[in-house]
Amino acid sequence: MSSFDLKNPVWRKRAVIVGGLAVAAGLGLALWPQAQPAKTNGRPGGPDGRPVAVVVASAARRDMPIYLDAIGTVQAYNTVTVRSRVDGELVEVLFREGQDVYVGDVLAQIDPRTYRAQYEQALATRDKDTAQLEAARRDLARYVGLGDRVSGQSVDTQRALVRQLEATVRADEAAASNAKTMLSYTVIAAPIEGRTGMRLVDRGNIVRASDATGLVTLTQVQPIAVVFTLPQQSLAAVNDRLRQDGKLQVTALQPETRVLADTGELELVDNQIDQTTGTIKLKAVMPNAERKLWPGGFVNVRLLLSVRQNGLVVPAQAVQRGPQGTYVFAVKEDRTVEMRAVKVTTVEAGQALLDEGLAEGDTVVVEGTAKLQPGARISTGENRGEGQGGDGKGGQRKGRPDKSQ
């Protein structure tokens, strides 16, 4: 038998496989797409040379607020740890945890019996010395009335006794006043208006003036303070505005939802810069009427530095960033675009405030910039509007591309 025989089943099977592979290779070469140069028709545009469909807007003038943003910490406007100023048994606790109290509201009562006895003893001593003083004054009046029949030495001695007893009475009055004050300390009242925290001592315990824990902590939450920091580079601008206006508006936003929590005024710029961080502390006070702010919480803070009157704005979406800085694609009269460098001062509510690069009425590309390059032709639908969305609220409204271009 020869080495190659188609009648042999093995060789016949191998021949079928080889033939199939050859046919498949030929079909693949026939169907492989040939690289064709893109048709540009002599005009830059999309990959197939057609104009790029974009959405545009016009630069417009409007009043634009300039904010300084920071992260702030909410602090109680006043915080007081209520402590006893005398030693004794705590016989009554007259507040509820979490209760709102006002100045003078009684919070607790210490056993007053010892201090009341000391006060009454001081009063008795004062009354005794007062009686002696009155007797000495009457004797002095008699000595003076007798004239030459009483020696001058006796008169001088009696006059000295009167002055001595007067001093004793004044000391007794001071002691009685001190005893009365100590007695008043057995009634513990709220020193500020605020909200009570957790009770730290229960009734029946012995409290002392030296105790560091205290009975309860009061925090004033209406008004409330917000403390935040800004870079030291912002200090000069803040101080300039304070000298001009006397006050600056500060807004607190909830960190999760960015919902407005409260609005107040800047109260304090700290007297020194933190050298470790290069920042300056500021403090704002807010009425907190709805109690949306709570001590210890974090908020997003916005300090209204100024309002740029009649500033030039474009949609923030139109501003691009590249190696040379920020730029926009400006639309020329021949419906082509060019890259134009711009200087952005701030971005607020989807609008970018520009200092340089554009003039009022210039048209910029808002959507479709990813497919653009300098000199590309564009086709546009409805404009977004002047410096805002077409609905006048900053919303995005796309128009159908103009196929007549």
Side-chain angles (χ1 to χ4, degrees):
M1 178 183 294
S2 63
S3 60
F4 178 75
D5 189 357
L6 290 177
K7 295 180 179 181
N8 189 323
V10 175
W11 285 107
R12 187 164 53 250
K13 184 177 180 180
R14 291 179 179 178
V16 171
I17 294 174
V18 171
L21 292 175
V23 172
L27 289 174
L29 291 174
L31 297 177
W32 189 264
Q34 299 293 325
Q36 298 293 334
K39 297 181 180 180
T40 62
N41 295 328
R43 298 182 304 174
D48 55 359
R50 291 180 298 178
V52 179
V54 296
V55 176
V56 298
S58 298
R61 293 197 175 275
R62 53 174 288 191
D63 295 343
M64 188 72 169
I66 299 177
Y67 288 97
L68 297 178
D69 294 325
I71 301 296
T73 304
V74 182
Q75 295 183 358
Y77 193 70
N78 286 304
T79 302
V80 175
T81 300
V82 180
R83 296 184 175 91
S84 172
R85 289 188 277 186
V86 294
D87 300 347
E89 179 186 353
L90 187 64
V91 294
E92 282 189 285
V93 175
L94 302 173
F95 68 90
R96 299 188 312 274
E97 294 174 317
Q99 175 186 350
D100 291 328
V101 296
Y102 300 90
V103 177
D105 287 354
V106 178
L107 303 178
Q109 172 74 59
I110 296 174
D111 186 0
R113 291 175 294 180
T114 301
Y115 298 97
R116 183 177 294 114
Q118 293 174 356
Y119 175 54
E120 292 175 353
Q121 183 179 6
L123 291 178
T125 301
R126 182 200 64 182
D127 293 344
K128 181 189 68 172
D129 293 337
T130 300
Q132 293 178 354
L133 174 61
E134 291 175 354
R137 285 174 174 169
R138 286 195 297 269
D139 291 342
L140 177 60
R142 293 192 191 100
Y143 291 166
V144 173
L146 292 175
D148 296 338
R149 288 175 289 180
V150 178
S151 64
Q153 182 178 1
S154 298
V155 174
D156 293 340
T157 301
Q158 189 64 26
R159 186 176 286 116
L161 178 60
V162 169
R163 289 199 295 267
Q164 179 183 348
L165 290 174
E166 287 174 345
T168 301
V169 170
R170 287 197 300 271
D172 291 342
E173 290 176 347
S177 178
N178 180 68
K180 183 179 180 181
T181 301
M182 299 301 287
L183 177 62
S184 69
Y185 288 163
T186 61
V187 177
I188 302 176
I192 64 170
E193 177 182 342
R195 186 181 180 92
T196 61
M198 293 185 177
R199 186 176 64 252
L200 304 177
V201 180
D202 296 328
R203 187 179 67 175
N205 285 279
I206 301 298
V207 295
R208 294 178 174 83
S210 59
D211 291 343
T213 303
L215 305 179
V216 68
T217 298
L218 298 182
T219 55
Q220 185 176 359
V221 296
Q222 291 178 318
I224 204 164
V226 176
V227 177
F228 57 100
T229 59
L230 290 175
Q232 63 178 358
Q233 291 82 359
S234 303
L235 179 59
V238 171
N239 284 335
D240 288 344
R241 295 301 301 177
L242 283 175
R243 282 193 293 269
Q244 295 175 16
D245 299 339
K247 59 184 179 180
L248 294 178
Q249 177 182 302
V250 180
T251 302
L253 306 174
Q254 297 292 352
E256 300 86 4
T257 59
R258 304 286 295 183
V259 173
L260 176 65
D262 208 348
T263 301
E265 294 181 358
L266 184 66
E267 183 179 72
L268 169 69
V269 178
D270 201 5
N271 57 4
Q272 60 181 351
I273 294 172
D274 187 342
Q275 294 182 352
T276 59
T277 60
T279 58
I280 183 74
K281 281 186 178 181
L282 300 96
K283 178 180 177 181
V285 177
M286 302 184 179
N288 199 28
E290 299 180 4
R291 297 195 175 185
K292 294 182 179 180
L293 300 176
W294 212 249
F298 292 94
V299 291
N300 292 329
V301 179
R302 310 203 75 194
L303 172 64
L304 180 59
L305 188 62
S306 62
V307 177
R308 178 73 63 84
Q309 302 292 331
N310 203 30
L312 186 67
V313 299
V314 296
Q317 200 173 346
V319 180
Q320 309 295 313
R321 287 171 174 79
Q324 305 301 322
T326 54
Y327 65 92
V328 297
F329 281 105
V331 181
K332 299 191 294 186
E333 293 182 358
D334 60 356
R335 310 297 290 175
T336 62
V337 297
E338 64 175 353
M339 292 176 59
R340 192 175 300 178
V342 294
K343 182 179 179 181
V344 180
T345 300
T346 187
V347 176
E348 176 63 27
Q351 302 296 308
L353 175 64
L354 305 182
D355 277 348
E356 298 176 359
L358 291 177
E360 183 178 4
D362 286 351
T363 303
V364 297
V365 177
V366 178
E367 295 180 6
T369 56
K371 300 179 181 180
L372 294 180
Q373 57 183 346
R377 291 183 60 83
I378 62 169
S379 63
T380 61
E382 298 179 15
N383 288 2
R384 290 172 61 95
E386 296 185 351
Q388 288 190 346
D391 56 1
K393 300 179 181 179
Q396 297 181 6
R397 186 179 69 182
K398 299 180 181 179
R400 293 181 297 175
D402 184 0
K403 296 183 180 180
S404 63
Q405 299 294 330

